[in-house]
Structure formats: C-alpha cells, structure tokens
C-alpha cells in the first residue's frame, strides 16, 4: 500500500465522513416514510429535533408547524388505522454544509387510501429538508 501524505489522508477521511453522513441522512428520511406509513409515532418522534419547523404547500392547502410536537400531532391525526399509505422518497440530493448541518431535496410519490371515505389519493411533491447532527445522530430540523 502506498504511504499517503497527511493532507491526502485528511482529505480522504473527510470524504469518507461525508459519504457516511449522506448515507445516515438517507436512512433518516427512509425511516420517516416507514414510520409515517405504519403510524409508528413513537419512533417517528425521534427523527426530529425538538425545535423542528416545517412549511407544506399543496394545491389546496398550506400548513406550518412551529415545533416537533405540533407536527407529530398533525401527522398522528392524519395517518392512523383508518387508512393505508405508502410514501416513497427517491432521487436524494444531499449536501453536507458543515459538521452539524446539511440540506437535502427528495422527490416524493405517495398513495393514500382512506377506508371511511373510500378515497384513493395519488400524490407527488419535492421535499426540501434541513438536517442537524445531534448526539443521537442526524435529525430532521
């Protein structure tokens, strides 16, 4: 094996860290979709920083959450045993900004069936995310 100079080794270690962080963020977003679709709100809650905020804009709605608790309550009310859903996130574009912050864009395709109203909904969106590294790993911010 060739000896690497310290600068090359440091750059290689940095690149490996970035790739590992990107993979961890992918897993975070995949867990988000899985927990939402299975209504696993206990695990879902752990995917967010407490000061999480969001802003969703759809064709007929706009929603803002000022913190994690407000968002979890909305998702809990929306995804439950009276429906079936599948959310698929793909084509991630993740940028590691520094040691503790990252951003990402994801395409979303979803199918939701509401048992009570016999509604079948197909949707698509683009998520623009902020992530923060915590002592427990990467979280949605």
């Amino acid at each position: 094996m060739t000896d690497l100079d310290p600068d090359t080794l440091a750059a290689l270690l940095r690149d490996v860290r970035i790739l590992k962080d990107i993979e961890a963020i992918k897993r975070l977003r995949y867990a988000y979709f899985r927990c939402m679709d299975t209504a696993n709100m206990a695990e879902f809650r752990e995917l967010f920083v407490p000061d999480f905020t969001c802003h969703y804009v759809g064709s007929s709605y706009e929603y803002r959450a000022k913190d994690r608790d407000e968002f979890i309550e909305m998702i809990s009310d929306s995804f439950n045993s009276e429906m079936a859903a599948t959310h698929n996130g793909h084509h991630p574009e993740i940028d590691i900004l520094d040691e503790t912050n990252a951003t990402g864009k994801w395409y979303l395709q979803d199918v939701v069936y509401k048992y009570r109203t016999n509604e079948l909904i197909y949707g698509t969106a683009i998520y623009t995310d902020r992530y923060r590294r915590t002592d427990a790993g990467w979280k949605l911010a």
Side-chain angles (χ1 to χ4, degrees), residues 39-54:
N40 182 345
M41 292 301 118
E43 184 180 350
F44 191 69
R45 173 182 202 68
E46 298 306 312
L47 304 177
F48 303 90
V49 295
D51 61 339
F52 168 86
T53 61
C54 75

Side-chain angles (χ1 to χ4, degrees), residues 16-31:
V16 169
R17 175 80 262 157
I18 288 170
L19 291 172
K20 289 180 78 172
D21 287 342
I22 288 170
E23 187 60 27
I25 289 169
K26 287 179 185 178
R27 291 177 60 90
L28 171 66
R29 191 38 115 161
Y30 298 150

Side-chain angles (χ1 to χ4, degrees), residues 5-139:
D5 66 82
D7 290 339
T8 302
L9 183 57
L12 181 60
L13 290 172
R14 188 185 111 262
D15 290 347
V16 169
R17 175 80 262 157
I18 288 170
L19 291 172
K20 289 180 78 172
D21 287 342
I22 288 170
E23 187 60 27
I25 289 169
K26 287 179 185 178
R27 291 177 60 90
L28 171 66
R29 191 38 115 161
Y30 298 150
Y32 172 99
F33 294 128
R34 175 181 49 77
C35 290
M36 185 186 316
D37 289 343
T38 59
N40 182 345
M41 292 301 118
E43 184 180 350
F44 191 69
R45 173 182 202 68
E46 298 306 312
L47 304 177
F48 303 90
V49 295
D51 61 339
F52 168 86
T53 61
C54 75
H55 181 203
Y56 288 162
V57 178
S59 61
S60 62
Y61 67 90
E62 185 170 357
Y63 171 78
R64 290 180 189 269
K66 67 181 181 319
D67 61 28
R68 174 180 64 188
D69 292 339
E70 184 178 315
F71 182 70
I72 299 297
E73 182 179 342
M74 183 275 294
I75 293 295
S76 295
D77 290 344
S78 300
F79 295 92
N80 51 56
S81 63
E82 295 183 3
M83 64 175 313
T86 179
H87 290 78
N88 292 287
H90 50 90
H91 295 82
E93 301 172 41
I94 299 167
D95 294 308
I96 305 300
L97 304 177
D98 58 36
E99 292 292 317
T100 57
N101 296 284
T103 59
K105 289 191 185 305
W106 293 80
Y107 273 87
L108 163 74
Q109 292 179 306
D110 64 344
V111 179
V112 176
Y113 179 71
K114 296 181 179 183
Y115 298 121
R116 283 187 181 237
T117 58
N118 197 30
E119 290 177 83
L120 183 61
I121 303 165
Y122 292 94
T124 188
I126 296 176
Y127 279 88
T128 301
D129 292 341
R130 291 173 293 116
Y131 310 99
R132 188 180 318 144
R133 186 196 311 267
T134 69
D135 291 341
W138 286 98
K139 304 290 181 183

